[in-house]
Amino acid sequence: MREKKIVKNLQPEKREASAPHHIVSYIDNLKADIAAFFDLNAEHAFRPFDVHDHFGVHDKKVRVLFNEILHELEQDGRLIYNKNGTYASVPEKAKPHGLTGRVDRVNKGFAFVIIEGREDDIYVDLELLNGAWDGDIVQIQPLSKNTRNLRSRGDSGRNRTEGRVTEIVERSNAEIVGVIEINPRFAVVQPDSKKLYDPIFLEPDEVGEARHGDKVIVKVKEWPTRRSQAEGEIVSVLGKAGNNDVEMHAILAEFGLPYHFPEIVEAEAQKIPDKIAKKDIAKRRDIRDVLTFTIDPVDAKDFDDALSVRYLDEDVVEVGVHIADVSHYVLPGTELEKEAFRRATSVYLVDRTVPMLPEKLSNNLCSLRPHEDRLAFSAIFEITSKGKLLKEWFGRTIIHSDRRFSYEEAQAVLDSGEGDFPKELDTLNKLAKLFRKERFKKGAINFETPEVRFRLDPEGRPLGIYTKERHDSNKLIEEFMLLANKRVAEYVYSLSKGENKNTMVYRIHEAPDPDRLQTFANFVAKLGLKLEVEEEGKIAKSMNAMLAKVEGKPEQNLIESLAVRTMAKARYSTADLGHFGLAFTRYSHFTSPIRRYPDVMAHRLLQHYLDGGANVDSEQYELASKHSSERERLAAEAERASIKYKQVEYMSMMDPEKEFDGIITGVTEFGIFVEITETASEGLIRMTDLGDDYYELEKDNYRIIGQRTKKIYAFGDAVKVKVKETNLARRSMDLYLAGTKPGRRSEFSRPGFDRERDRGPRERKPKEARGSGRVKRGAGGTGGGSSAKVKRRRR
C-alpha cells in the first residue's frame, strides 16, 4: 500500500515563507541526492524502506519525509511507482529536459558545464559525464550544492551546484588533432588538447601515409563508452610534430578554425572591380580633401580605420572616424558573406593572421591604404577643445588617406612636436585624454593587461619574447574608436519609433557576479590589497585604485589577469544591457568590419535606419551574435595556444643552468605554478621536486606548508627557478627551485607527465569483468543497501 501523503506541500516557492532557508536547502539537497541514487541505479527498483536503509535513516519522522520526497519525485516525472510498491528511475528518454550548456573539462576527474545566462557553472563528476567530451553541448540535470572547493589553483571554495549529464545534444568536433603513435598491433592518437583525456584508437591498416610521431587530424567514428575506447580514422596528415607550420595549422584545426578560403570564395572576391565606380562616389559624402591618416602597428597589413581632422574655428575641431566600408563589397547571399559569417572573426596567431575576408578585400579594397581613394562608413564629430560633443553625423563617404603612421612614428611626433601633422596629432591626443578621464570618472575600469609578442626567425623559431608597450598614440586611437562605437549605438537607439527600440548588435559586458567578486576581494586581501565590493557604484573606483598599487610590481600581471577573469565575459547580443567595464550605457562594435562580422551587421543596421527603415526582427541577429561570440572565444583560445607553444619552445632553448625570477601564480595538491617574469611563461614545480620536505596544501590560504621545516610557498611569492623539462606537444613546462635538485624521477615526475591527464590508454577489460550488476550509491547515506552491494557516487 502506498505511503499516505503527510506533508502537504514541499514546493520551494510555497514553503519558503514558513520554513527557514537552511531547512529548505536541506530538503532540496536531499531530494537531489535521492534522485541521484535512483539515476545511478536505473536498472533496479526499490521499496521505500530500501531507500531508508541505503541512507541510514532510522528516525520515524525522517522516514516520513523520505516517503514524501519519493512521492514528489514521482509527481515531478523523475520516478515511476510500480504496482508492487517499489520506485524506479524513469527511462532516460522519458525524463523531463534539464538545462543545456557546454562542457568545460578542466580536470581528468571532473568537468564544469557552462550555461549561458547562469553565473555559476555546474560541477559534474567524471562518472556522471555520460561520455561527454570537452566542448560538447549537453543537457544537464542539477543535483545538489557542493560545499567543497572544487576549483584548483586558488579558488576560494564557494558553493557550487552539482549535476549529471543526461544527454549529449551536440558533439563539439568530431575531428581531433593529435600525435599518432604506431604500434605493431594498433595505432593511437593522443589529442593535443589538454582538455581531451581519451586516446583515439585506429587499426594498423588505417594509418595511411602517417608515420610515428606525425601530427594528424583524426575523425572520431565511435565515441568512448564505459566498455569501449574511442575509435577513429585519419582525415589529414599535417606533418612532423615540432615543425612551425605544422604546429600552427594543428592549433587552427584543434579549435575548428579554417585556414584556406574555398575556391568559390576566392573567385568571387577576384571578380570585384578594383576601380571605384562614379555612381558609388555620387551617393557618398566626399571628404577626400580633408586631412586624413591611419595609425596602426608597424607590421599591420590591413588598415580598417582612419582619422580626419579639420579645424572649424579656434575652439571647435571636426574629427572623422572612418571605417572601411566592408558591407559595400560583402553582400547578403554571396559566398563572401557566407564565409565571413562562418568565420566571424580574423584569427591572430603568433606568426600569422588568418583573415575573415580574402586578401583582395582585407589587404586591398577594404584597407584604407595611403594615397588611394577608399570607400568608408564614417562617424564625424564636432568637438570643443574641452571635449564637449556639439554635433555628429553618420553615413557613407569616400576618403583619401594622406599618411600611414605606425604607433611608434605617431608617438615620436607627439613627443618631439616635429614631423608630419604635429598640431593635428596633438589636438587628437588632448581630446583623447579628456575622453579617457571622463570614462574613468563615470566608472570605467582600467584593464591594461600586457600583450606577449615574439621575435621570430624566418623558420618561425622564437628569438625573443617581449611585451607590447602602450603609448599615447595607442590610447589616442582607442579613445576615438570607443567614441564611434558608443555614439553609433546611441544614435541607432535614438532613431527608434515607439516603445519597441530598434534592433542593434551591441557589445555587452554585464556587472560581475557578486560572489565571484567577493572571492577575488578575499584573495587580494591576503596579499595586502583592498577591494570594495559592497556598493556597485564604488567597485570600479576601488578596482582602479587596487590595480594602480600593483603597477610595476612583479605581481601586476597576475593580479590584472585574475581581475579580468573575475569580470563577466563581454559578448555580442541584441539585448540592450550596456558595458560595465567601459561604463557605457550602450556600446556597439562598428570600427573593425574587416576582422569582425558583428561590425558588418552594425554597418548594415545603421544604414537601414539611416534610410528610414522600420525596426527589424531581432531573432536572426541574436543568433548571429551568439555565433560570433562563440567564434571569438575559439579564436582567442587558439591565439593563447600559439603563444603558449612559442613560450615553451623559447624556454626549451634556454641554458638549463640559467636562473629565472618568477612569481607563484597557483597552488595545488600536486605542485605550485610559477610565472617567469622575464618571458611571462608559466610552468609547474611538482610536489615531488620539492624534495626538502613533505608539503601540504592549505587551499583557503593559497599556500603549501612543509610539515617538518614549516617552510611556506604562497600565491604571489617571488621565487627563483630553473627549467627542468619542456613538453611542446602539451605546451607545458616543468620547473624546479633554484638551489635545489629535482626530485627523483618517479611516475609523477617523468618528463612532460601531466598528472591530470597523462595516465596512458585505459586497459580493455575482458567481457566477464564488465557490468557486475552492483547497485551504485547516491550522494548521501552511510548504511548498506538492501541485499546488493552499493557504490557511493563520488563528490
Side-chain angles (χ1 to χ4, degrees):
M1 187 173 181
R2 297 191 64 174
E3 294 285 338
K4 184 179 179 182
K5 185 175 180 180
I6 304 296
V7 183
K8 293 184 178 180
N9 202 325
L10 283 177
Q11 296 302 318
E13 64 272 16
K14 295 183 180 178
R15 68 169 179 260
E16 285 184 356
S18 58
H21 177 75
H22 69 277
I23 293 178
V24 173
S25 177
Y26 167 76
I27 294 174
D28 286 342
N29 289 345
L30 187 58
K31 185 176 180 180
D33 289 341
I34 293 173
F37 167 73
F38 277 92
D39 288 339
L40 288 167
N41 300 283
E43 67 273 24
H44 297 280
F46 300 92
R47 293 165 293 184
F49 73 81
D50 291 329
V51 180
H52 303 162
D53 189 32
H54 162 70
F55 282 90
V57 175
H58 305 291
D59 183 84
K60 184 176 180 180
K61 292 181 179 179
V62 179
R63 288 189 176 199
V64 170
L65 174 62
F66 265 64
N67 294 343
E68 174 55 32
I69 289 175
L70 289 171
H71 183 62
E72 278 205 8
L73 288 170
E74 182 209 351
Q75 289 183 324
D76 292 344
R78 294 184 61 185
L79 294 183
I80 295 174
Y81 181 74
N82 301 311
K83 291 181 180 180
N84 63 358
T86 62
Y87 288 91
S89 180
V90 174
E92 199 66 51
K93 292 183 179 179
K95 287 181 181 177
H97 293 307
L99 302 169
T100 301
R102 177 174 55 83
V103 176
D104 182 14
R105 186 76 180 274
V106 298
N107 185 283
K108 188 176 180 67
F110 61 86
F112 288 95
V113 173
I114 301 168
I115 299 170
E116 186 176 346
R118 181 182 176 120
E119 288 293 343
D120 63 319
D121 305 333
I122 297 180
Y123 169 91
V124 184
D125 198 74
L126 172 63
E127 64 187 60
L128 299 183
L129 272 173
N130 196 21
W133 280 21
D134 181 72
D136 289 350
I137 304 300
V138 299
Q139 281 195 351
I140 185 167
Q141 190 177 71
L143 298 179
S144 63
K145 283 285 182 183
N146 191 334
T147 58
R148 293 183 302 140
N149 177 11
L150 300 174
R151 289 278 195 191
S152 63
R153 298 178 59 182
D155 197 283
S156 68
R158 56 187 287 242
N159 292 348
R160 286 197 178 275
T161 302
E162 286 194 19
R164 62 185 291 271
V165 171
T166 59
E167 181 183 348
I168 299 172
V169 178
E170 180 183 346
R171 290 287 185 180
S172 64
N173 196 350
E175 294 185 356
I176 308 296
V177 179
V179 177
I180 189 168
E181 300 172 7
I182 301 176
N183 299 289
R185 293 191 298 171
F186 65 93
V188 64
V189 173
Q190 298 287 355
D192 278 1
S193 174
K194 287 187 175 182
K195 293 186 175 184
L196 297 179
Y197 298 89
D198 296 271
I200 302 162
F201 286 85
L202 300 87
E203 295 297 330
D205 58 353
E206 293 182 349
V207 299
E209 297 179 359
R211 297 183 178 183
H212 185 83
D214 276 353
K215 276 282 171 81
V216 299
I217 300 176
V218 60
K219 181 178 181 180
V220 178
K221 296 191 300 183
E222 297 289 338
W223 294 94
T225 66
R226 289 186 176 182
R227 297 187 176 187
S228 64
Q229 301 281 4
E231 296 181 7
E233 61 183 3
I234 291 177
V235 173
S236 177
V237 179
L238 298 176
K240 199 67 178 174
N243 175 276
N244 181 70
D245 281 343
V246 169
E247 294 295 342
M248 294 302 109
H249 288 174
I251 287 172
L252 291 170
E254 179 182 335
F255 294 97
L257 300 169
Y259 186 64
H260 297 292
F261 284 96
E263 289 184 8
I264 190 171
V265 176
E266 289 281 13
E268 193 173 85
Q270 292 303 319
K271 290 180 181 179
I272 299 174
D274 292 323
K275 189 175 181 180
I276 300 173
K278 290 183 178 179
K279 64 177 183 178
D280 292 326
I281 296 175
K283 300 175 184 177
R284 296 169 178 267
R285 180 172 172 175
D286 191 340
I287 55 173
R288 286 176 287 183
D289 60 340
V290 180
L291 173 63
T292 303
F293 48 81
T294 60
I295 307 178
D296 291 282
V298 66
D299 55 352
K301 293 182 174 57
D302 59 70
F303 316 118
D304 53 4
D305 57 74
L307 295 178
S308 67
V309 181
R310 176 162 57 184
Y311 293 95
L312 302 181
D313 60 39
E314 291 184 0
D315 191 54
V316 180
V317 63
E318 177 191 88
V319 179
V321 180
H322 310 291
I323 309 302
D325 191 0
V326 171
S327 61
H328 174 82
Y329 297 103
V330 179
L331 302 176
T334 61
E335 295 301 324
L336 280 168
E337 158 73 13
K338 295 173 186 176
E339 185 67 13
F341 171 78
R342 186 169 75 91
R343 295 185 177 220
T345 182
S346 295
V347 183
Y348 297 90
L349 303 186
V350 292
D351 68 335
R352 69 196 65 198
T353 297
V354 183
M356 184 180 79
L357 301 172
E359 187 175 352
K360 173 75 177 283
L361 292 172
S362 61
N363 289 6
N364 186 357
L365 297 180
C366 293
S367 182
L368 308 182
R369 302 194 298 196
H371 314 303
E372 297 182 23
D373 291 350
R374 283 291 182 260
L375 301 181
F377 213 133
S378 302
I380 300 177
F381 307 101
E382 293 183 14
I383 310 169
T384 71
S385 60
K386 301 296 184 182
K388 183 179 180 181
L389 184 61
L390 300 178
K391 192 182 293 185
E392 60 187 16
W393 179 90
F394 304 94
R396 283 179 152 136
T397 59
I398 181 168
I399 69 169
H400 186 95
S401 176
D402 300 287
R403 173 74 152 86
R404 186 265 199 226
F405 284 104
S406 68
Y407 284 118
E408 292 76 12
E409 289 170 338
Q411 189 62 45
V413 175
L414 288 172
D415 292 340
S416 67
E418 298 177 355
D420 294 335
F421 318 130
K423 180 182 177 181
E424 288 79 7
L425 283 170
D426 183 62
T427 297
L428 293 175
N429 193 37
K430 287 177 179 177
L431 290 174
K433 289 183 176 180
L434 290 172
F435 296 154
R436 186 177 175 84
K437 182 178 180 181
E438 184 65 17
R439 276 200 302 114
F440 291 141
K441 183 179 177 181
K442 290 184 176 180
I445 299 177
N446 185 21
F447 288 130
E448 289 195 13
T449 52
E451 295 183 47
V452 176
R453 292 289 183 265
F454 297 84
R455 287 188 294 274
L456 304 173
D457 71 9
E459 283 72 43
R461 289 187 295 268
L463 302 176
I465 302 178
Y466 63 97
T467 54
K468 180 181 175 183
E469 293 186 26
R470 280 171 49 82
H471 300 289
D472 282 350
S473 57
N474 301 81
K475 297 173 185 177
L476 180 160
I477 290 296
E478 180 182 78
E479 289 302 325
F480 281 100
M481 296 306 112
L482 291 176
L483 174 66
N485 288 334
K486 177 181 71 169
R487 293 309 309 163
V488 163
E490 293 286 5
Y491 184 71
V492 168
Y493 181 85
S494 73
L495 293 177
S496 302
K497 300 171 183 177
E499 293 183 1
N500 293 328
K501 302 305 179 183
N502 284 342
T503 295
M504 184 58 176
V505 173
Y506 296 103
R507 179 69 167 178
I508 64 172
H509 184 228
E510 294 153 283
D513 171 49
D515 289 342
R516 189 173 295 177
L517 198 61
Q518 186 62 59
T519 297
F520 179 63
N522 294 341
F523 167 71
V524 297
K526 295 179 184 295
L527 300 179
L529 300 168
K530 187 176 182 181
L531 179 62
E532 296 286 350
V533 296
E534 297 299 325
E535 297 182 42
E536 186 172 317
K538 294 183 178 180
I539 292 173
K541 184 178 180 180
S542 179
M543 181 75 77
N544 287 335
M546 187 269 293
L547 293 174
K549 283 187 177 180
V550 299
E551 189 172 353
K553 295 183 179 179
E555 63 269 25
Q556 177 183 355
N557 187 26
L558 166 64
I559 297 297
E560 287 179 343
S561 178
L562 288 173
V564 169
R565 294 209 298 266
T566 300
M567 298 291 119
K569 288 183 173 63
R571 57 190 173 92
Y572 297 105
S573 177
T574 57
D576 183 16
L577 301 179
H579 198 292
F580 176 81
L582 294 172
F584 289 159
T585 304
R586 288 174 194 88
Y587 185 66
S588 65
H589 267 177
F590 171 80
T591 54
S592 294
I594 289 178
R595 61 186 179 90
R596 297 187 304 224
Y597 186 79
D599 301 53
V600 180
M601 291 193 287
H603 281 213
R604 289 174 179 163
L605 287 168
L606 174 57
Q607 187 61 54
H608 172 77
Y609 297 127
L610 286 171
D611 292 338
N615 191 16
V616 300
D617 182 57
S618 64
E619 184 177 359
Q620 63 172 322
Y621 288 99
E622 182 62 25
L623 290 173
S625 295
K626 289 181 178 178
H627 168 76
S628 298
S629 298
E630 176 63 15
R631 299 300 291 181
E632 178 186 59
R633 180 187 67 82
L634 290 172
E637 289 184 4
E639 180 180 356
R640 285 193 292 269
S642 73
I643 290 172
K644 185 73 173 177
Y645 182 88
K646 287 300 173 187
Q647 286 174 322
V648 174
E649 184 180 12
Y650 182 70
M651 296 304 297
S652 72
M653 299 158 60
M654 295 290 99
D655 180 352
E657 294 304 313
K658 182 175 180 179
E659 293 186 6
F660 296 93
D661 291 322
I663 186 167
I664 296 177
T665 57
V667 289
T668 72
E669 66 276 4
F670 54 85
I672 56 179
F673 288 87
V674 174
E675 181 181 282
I676 294 174
T677 308
E678 180 183 332
T679 62
S681 309
E682 189 179 63
L684 174 66
I685 302 176
R686 301 182 183 276
M687 286 293 197
T688 51
D689 288 329
L690 293 171
D692 61 336
D693 202 347
Y694 178 81
Y695 288 83
E696 290 186 330
L697 174 67
E698 285 190 359
K699 283 187 176 180
D700 291 341
N701 292 315
Y702 313 101
R703 64 184 187 180
I704 57 173
I705 300 179
Q707 274 194 345
R708 180 177 54 81
T709 63
K710 304 303 178 184
K711 189 182 293 183
I712 296 174
Y713 294 103
F715 199 107
D717 282 354
V719 291
K720 285 189 176 293
V721 296
K722 291 183 178 182
V723 177
K724 178 187 175 186
E725 300 284 354
T726 56
N727 188 316
L728 280 172
R730 299 279 172 80
R731 306 175 200 128
S732 64
M733 177 169 59
D734 280 7
L735 309 171
Y736 66 97
L737 290 170
T740 67
K741 292 184 178 181
R744 64 179 181 272
R745 300 169 71 84
S746 67
E747 178 190 13
F748 298 115
S749 62
R750 71 179 189 268
F753 180 85
D754 187 329
R755 180 171 184 162
E756 298 303 332
R757 69 176 293 231
D758 191 1
R759 300 178 187 270
R762 295 193 301 266
E763 293 183 3
R764 296 174 183 263
K765 294 182 179 179
K767 290 183 178 179
E768 60 271 18
R770 302 172 188 159
S772 63
R774 292 179 178 177
V775 180
K776 303 177 185 71
R777 185 180 284 274
T782 56
S786 48
S787 60
K789 291 184 179 180
V790 183
K791 287 186 178 180
R792 183 185 300 273
R793 181 171 66 84
R794 290 193 299 166
R795 295 285 299 212

